Amino acid sequence: MLVDPEHVTEPPCPPSPEGERIVRRLREVYPSGADAEQAVRQSAYLRDQFAFLGLPTPERRVLSRTVLAGAVKPDQDVCASVALQAWRLPEREYQYFAVDHLRRHIKVCDASFLPVAAHLIVTRSWWDTVDHLAAHVVGRLVAADARLVAEMDAWITASNLWLARTALLHQLTYRENTDAERLFAYCRTQSGHRDFFVRKAIGWALRTYAATDPDAVRSFLAAEGNRLSPLSIREASKHL
């Protein structure tokens, strides 16, 4: 097993001059657009859990292009270096940069990147980063290497709710390639979870798959609805 879901540790940051250059440039460029009033609003939106520079998404992406001007196509070490360093920085926009960078370049990463993704998921955790990591980083890794399915089978029962949420959501973009039996099994496994974010993820995963196979989701809800929370059922049924 690449990741022990009950003991996720920070993997070593690989030596990467290019990764260090990108992060150094990131720390130079992002503060230039800081807006203290916007930072207060952004922090309040996430329940004041994180500090912000105050960069709205469109402006942040413009600055990101400046950061990456002249950068070469990264390899896995660069991706890991950028992500792990950005995750240590205090303002939330730095984590957003790392997530965007991973989404763009996850194809250069293989199964051995999963411990990095796990660390990002369980550290400075909230839906704003976890959901993108689940669907567009972990999901892409699992799709590319079937051996990682066993990792998701372990994550779905993890005590860390964000790992469980990731297991539920990692197939969000799979559409007709969704392993429906596994998705439904994961929903059954966590049907009694008390946390809002897990119950919401169950409904979201089912609603998304319903766009591909609505009859399968209807049948699942008919058979298992008494085990699911009202929130999960409401979310799953929105477009049925």
Side-chain angles (χ1 to χ4, degrees), residues 121-122 125-126 130 155-156 158-168 190 193 195-198 201:
I121 288 165
V122 304
S125 309
W126 204 242
V130 169
W155 288 21
I156 191 59
S159 59
N160 184 288
L161 71 93
W162 300 107
L163 289 177
R165 183 173 168 100
T166 296
L168 285 162
Q190 290 295 0
H193 202 288
D195 190 90
F196 168 88
F197 286 107
V198 175

Coordinates of all heavy atoms in Angstrom, one line a residue, residues 121-122 125-126 130 155-156 158-168 190 193 195-198 201:
I121 N -4.4 16.4 0.8 CA -5.8 16.2 1.1 C -6.0 16.3 2.6 O -7.0 16.9 3.1 CB -6.3 14.9 0.6 CG1 -6.4 14.9 -0.9 CG2 -7.6 14.5 1.2 CD1 -6.6 13.6 -1.6
V122 N -5.1 15.8 3.4 CA -5.3 15.8 4.9 C -4.7 17.0 5.6 O -4.8 17.1 6.8 CB -4.7 14.5 5.5 CG1 -5.4 13.2 4.9 CG2 -3.2 14.4 5.4
S125 N -7.0 21.1 5.2 CA -8.1 20.5 4.4 C -9.4 21.3 4.5 O -9.9 21.8 5.5 CB -8.4 19.1 5.1 OG -7.3 18.3 5.2
W126 N -10.0 21.5 3.3 CA -11.4 22.0 3.1 C -11.8 21.7 1.7 O -11.0 21.3 0.9 CB -11.4 23.5 3.4 CG -12.8 24.0 3.9 CD1 -13.5 24.9 3.2 CD2 -13.5 23.6 5.0 NE1 -14.7 25.1 3.9 CE2 -14.7 24.3 5.0 CE3 -13.3 22.7 6.1 CZ2 -15.7 24.2 6.0 CZ3 -14.2 22.6 7.1 CH2 -15.4 23.3 7.0
V130 N -9.8 20.1 -1.6 CA -10.0 18.6 -1.6 C -10.7 18.1 -2.8 O -10.4 17.1 -3.5 CB -10.6 18.1 -0.3 CG1 -11.0 16.7 -0.4 CG2 -9.7 18.3 0.9
W155 N -9.2 4.0 1.5 CA -9.5 5.4 1.8 C -11.0 5.5 2.2 O -11.3 6.3 3.1 CB -9.2 6.3 0.7 CG -7.7 6.6 0.5 CD1 -6.7 5.8 0.9 CD2 -7.2 7.7 -0.2 NE1 -5.5 6.3 0.5 CE2 -5.8 7.5 -0.2 CE3 -7.7 8.8 -0.8 CZ2 -4.9 8.4 -0.8 CZ3 -6.8 9.7 -1.4 CH2 -5.4 9.5 -1.4
I156 N -11.9 4.7 1.6 CA -13.3 4.9 1.9 C -13.7 4.6 3.3 O -14.6 5.2 3.9 CB -14.2 4.0 0.9 CG1 -15.6 4.5 1.0 CG2 -14.0 2.6 1.3 CD1 -15.9 5.9 0.7
A158 N -11.4 5.3 5.8 CA -10.5 6.1 6.7 C -11.2 6.9 7.7 O -12.3 7.4 7.5 CB -9.7 7.0 5.8
S159 N -10.6 7.1 8.8 CA -11.2 8.0 9.9 C -11.1 9.4 9.4 O -11.9 10.2 9.9 CB -10.5 7.8 11.2 OG -9.1 8.0 11.1
N160 N -10.2 9.8 8.6 CA -10.1 11.1 8.1 C -11.2 11.3 7.0 O -11.2 10.7 6.0 CB -8.7 11.4 7.4 CG -8.6 12.8 7.0 OD1 -9.2 13.3 6.0 ND2 -7.8 13.6 7.7
L161 N -12.1 12.2 7.3 CA -13.3 12.4 6.4 C -12.9 12.9 5.1 O -13.6 12.6 4.1 CB -14.3 13.4 7.1 CG -14.0 14.8 7.2 CD1 -14.5 15.6 5.9 CD2 -14.6 15.5 8.4
W162 N -11.8 13.6 4.9 CA -11.4 14.1 3.6 C -10.9 13.0 2.7 O -11.1 13.0 1.5 CB -10.4 15.2 3.7 CG -11.0 16.4 4.5 CD1 -10.7 16.7 5.8 CD2 -12.1 17.3 4.1 NE1 -11.5 17.8 6.2 CE2 -12.3 18.1 5.2 CE3 -12.8 17.4 2.9 CZ2 -13.3 19.2 5.1 CZ3 -13.7 18.4 2.9 CH2 -14.0 19.3 4.0
L163 N -10.3 12.0 3.3 CA -9.9 10.8 2.5 C -11.1 10.0 2.0 O -11.2 9.6 0.9 CB -8.9 9.9 3.3 CG -7.5 10.5 3.5 CD1 -6.7 9.5 4.4 CD2 -6.8 10.7 2.2
A164 N -12.1 9.9 2.9 CA -13.3 9.2 2.6 C -14.0 10.0 1.5 O -14.6 9.4 0.5 CB -14.2 9.0 3.8
R165 N -14.1 11.3 1.6 CA -14.7 12.1 0.6 C -14.0 12.0 -0.7 O -14.7 11.9 -1.8 CB -14.8 13.6 1.0 CG -15.5 14.5 0.1 CD -15.6 15.9 0.7 NE -16.0 16.9 -0.3 CZ -17.3 17.4 -0.4 NH1 -18.3 16.9 0.4 NH2 -17.6 18.3 -1.3
T166 N -12.7 11.9 -0.7 CA -12.0 11.7 -1.9 C -12.3 10.4 -2.6 O -12.5 10.3 -3.8 CB -10.5 11.8 -1.7 OG1 -10.1 13.1 -1.2 CG2 -9.6 11.5 -2.9
A167 N -12.4 9.3 -1.8 CA -12.7 8.0 -2.4 C -14.1 8.1 -3.1 O -14.3 7.6 -4.2 CB -12.7 7.0 -1.3
L168 N -15.0 8.8 -2.4 CA -16.4 8.9 -3.0 C -16.4 9.7 -4.3 O -17.2 9.4 -5.2 CB -17.3 9.6 -2.0 CG -17.8 8.7 -0.8 CD1 -18.3 9.6 0.3 CD2 -18.9 7.7 -1.3
Q190 N -20.4 4.4 3.6 CA -20.4 5.7 4.4 C -21.8 6.2 4.5 O -22.0 7.4 5.0 CB -19.5 6.7 3.7 CG -18.1 6.4 3.8 CD -17.5 6.5 5.2 OE1 -18.3 6.7 6.2 NE2 -16.3 6.2 5.4
H193 N -22.5 8.0 7.8 CA -21.5 8.9 8.3 C -22.2 10.2 8.9 O -23.2 10.7 8.3 CB -20.5 9.3 7.2 CG -19.2 9.8 7.7 ND1 -19.1 11.1 8.3 CD2 -18.0 9.3 7.7 CE1 -17.8 11.3 8.6 NE2 -17.1 10.2 8.3
D195 N -20.9 13.2 9.3 CA -20.4 14.5 8.8 C -21.1 15.0 7.6 O -21.3 14.2 6.6 CB -18.9 14.5 8.6 CG -18.3 15.9 8.3 OD1 -17.9 16.5 9.3 OD2 -18.3 16.3 7.2
F196 N -21.4 16.3 7.5 CA -22.0 16.9 6.4 C -21.3 16.7 5.1 O -21.9 16.4 4.0 CB -22.2 18.4 6.6 CG -22.6 19.2 5.4 CD1 -23.9 19.4 5.1 CD2 -21.6 19.8 4.6 CE1 -24.3 20.2 4.0 CE2 -22.0 20.5 3.5 CZ -23.3 20.7 3.2
F197 N -20.0 16.8 5.1 CA -19.2 16.7 3.9 C -19.1 15.3 3.3 O -19.0 15.2 2.0 CB -17.8 17.3 4.1 CG -17.7 18.8 4.2 CD1 -17.5 19.3 5.5 CD2 -17.9 19.6 3.2 CE1 -17.5 20.7 5.6 CE2 -17.9 21.0 3.3 CZ -17.7 21.5 4.5
V198 N -19.3 14.3 4.1 CA -19.3 13.0 3.5 C -20.7 12.7 3.0 O -20.9 12.1 1.9 CB -18.9 11.9 4.6 CG1 -19.1 10.5 4.1 CG2 -17.5 12.1 5.0
A201 N -21.1 14.4 -0.2 CA -20.3 13.8 -1.3 C -21.0 12.6 -1.8 O -21.0 12.3 -3.0 CB -18.9 13.4 -0.8

